[in-house]
Amino acid sequence: AQSVSQHNHHVILSEAASLELGCNYSYGGTVNLFWYVQYPGQHLQLLLKYFSGDPLVKGIKGFEAEFIKSKFSFNLRKPSVQWSDTAEYFCAVSLLKAAGNKLTFGGGTRVLVKP
Amino acid sequence: EPEVTQTPSHQVTQMGQEVILRCVPISNHLYFYWYRQILGQKVEFLVSFYNNEISEKSEIFDDQFSVERPDGSNFTLKIRSTKLEDSAMYFCASRKGQGGNQPQHFGDGTRLSIL
């Protein structure tokens, strides 16, 4: 069964600092990769997704992620964070050919951006 | 932007009682999902639903759980005889169509507390 791991449970940083959140998955087949964000009191929102093509994916709010197939990784980055980026970030994977395309989530990383 | 809506936002129920969690997926979406997140743990897949039948379910989704699409808009999760360990946040999600390149859209969740 596939699994997803996120390396950091909590990250604290100051505004304008750069952010990188690690995500690794265990499945060796063809996967779809996602990053979701959950702002306090809100629902999970899609930040970006990778299905095929350019492994560097750009999402909303200045976020990007790079798929490195050889490392089974899909790390999320933002060059300069803002206070409003305080949220919990979830990496998720689905199998390309699975009937229901269920998502398998990582444990999430809580990011606190200090003003 | 269309949203997935869930009701109630918080449900408190006595152990052994039946509970129904309700979801209204985005109107032109065809695939529906339930996930749950126990406090401090990962978001876990429960079940996926397409064309009026379950397409995939997890080990968690045992005989006490059922899903239904009673009309053209609602998608419900029923827990027949609740246990303390069913206390969690339950998320509904929907996806537009076939193919892995359609992301899932999530509702705000229902916090279920079993006493």
Side-chain angles (χ1 to χ4, degrees):
Chain A
Q2 74 251 39
S3 67
V4 180
S5 61
Q6 292 181 237
H7 312 304
N8 308 98
H9 297 295
H10 292 92
V11 171
I12 301 173
L13 61 168
S14 300
E15 276 193 312
S18 63
L19 174 69
E20 180 160 0
L21 302 182
C23 173
N24 286 89
Y25 63 96
S26 66
Y27 186 68
T30 303
V31 295
N32 302 313
L33 298 155
F34 306 83
W35 276 97
Y36 282 86
V37 60
Q38 188 173 32
Y39 298 103
Q42 297 187 27
H43 58 270
L44 288 161
Q45 300 174 39
L46 183 68
L47 265 183
L48 47 79
K49 60 186 186 290
Y50 173 81
F51 297 117
S52 63
D54 188 345
L56 185 61
V57 178
K58 294 195 183 300
I60 60 171
K61 306 189 183 195
F63 285 90
E64 64 179 30
E66 185 175 13
F67 171 50
I68 303 179
K69 190 174 181 179
S70 61
K71 295 185 178 180
F72 298 92
S73 70
F74 189 55
N75 293 353
L76 181 71
R77 296 194 291 254
K78 184 170 183 176
S80 176
V81 295
Q82 301 171 315
W83 174 79
S84 57
D85 293 322
T86 293
E88 189 159 16
Y89 293 80
F90 295 90
C91 181
V93 172
S94 70
L95 301 182
L96 183 63
K97 294 184 178 178
N101 289 110
K102 70 177 183 184
L103 291 173
T104 299
F105 283 88
T109 300
R110 287 187 187 273
V111 173
L112 173 62
V113 180
K114 298 189 291 184
Chain B
E1 185 179 327
E3 292 185 343
V4 176
T5 58
Q6 290 186 243
T7 55
S9 56
H10 193 187
Q11 174 79 43
V12 181
T13 301
Q14 292 287 331
M15 186 173 61
Q17 295 296 305
E18 176 183 285
V19 66
I20 297 175
L21 309 183
R22 302 183 190 280
C23 171
V24 179
I26 295 173
S27 62
N28 62 347
H29 284 194
L30 301 177
Y31 294 79
F32 313 114
Y33 305 83
W34 284 102
Y35 294 83
R36 79 172 185 190
Q37 186 178 29
I38 295 171
L39 189 64
Q41 298 185 24
K42 291 186 177 185
V43 177
E44 303 172 289
F45 167 76
L46 291 178
V47 65
S48 59
F49 191 87
Y50 169 70
N51 199 25
N52 282 319
E53 61 183 24
I54 291 172
S55 48
E56 188 176 1
K57 61 183 181 180
S58 71
E59 292 176 354
I60 303 166
F61 195 88
D62 61 21
D63 291 344
Q64 69 164 333
F65 290 91
S66 61
V67 289
E68 195 178 29
R69 189 153 162 83
D71 52 41
S73 60
N74 289 284
F75 178 53
T76 62
L77 174 69
K78 182 191 290 186
I79 309 175
R80 252 179 285 281
S81 177
T82 50
K83 305 171 191 169
L84 292 176
E85 55 264 37
D86 294 327
S87 295
M89 189 72 132
Y90 288 79
F91 295 102
C92 175
S94 69
R95 184 166 66 89
K96 188 171 185 179
Q98 184 69 352
N101 61 350
Q102 300 283 346
Q104 293 179 27
H105 297 258
F106 285 81
D108 285 341
T110 293
R111 184 172 297 283
L112 178 62
S113 301
I114 307 300
L115 305 179

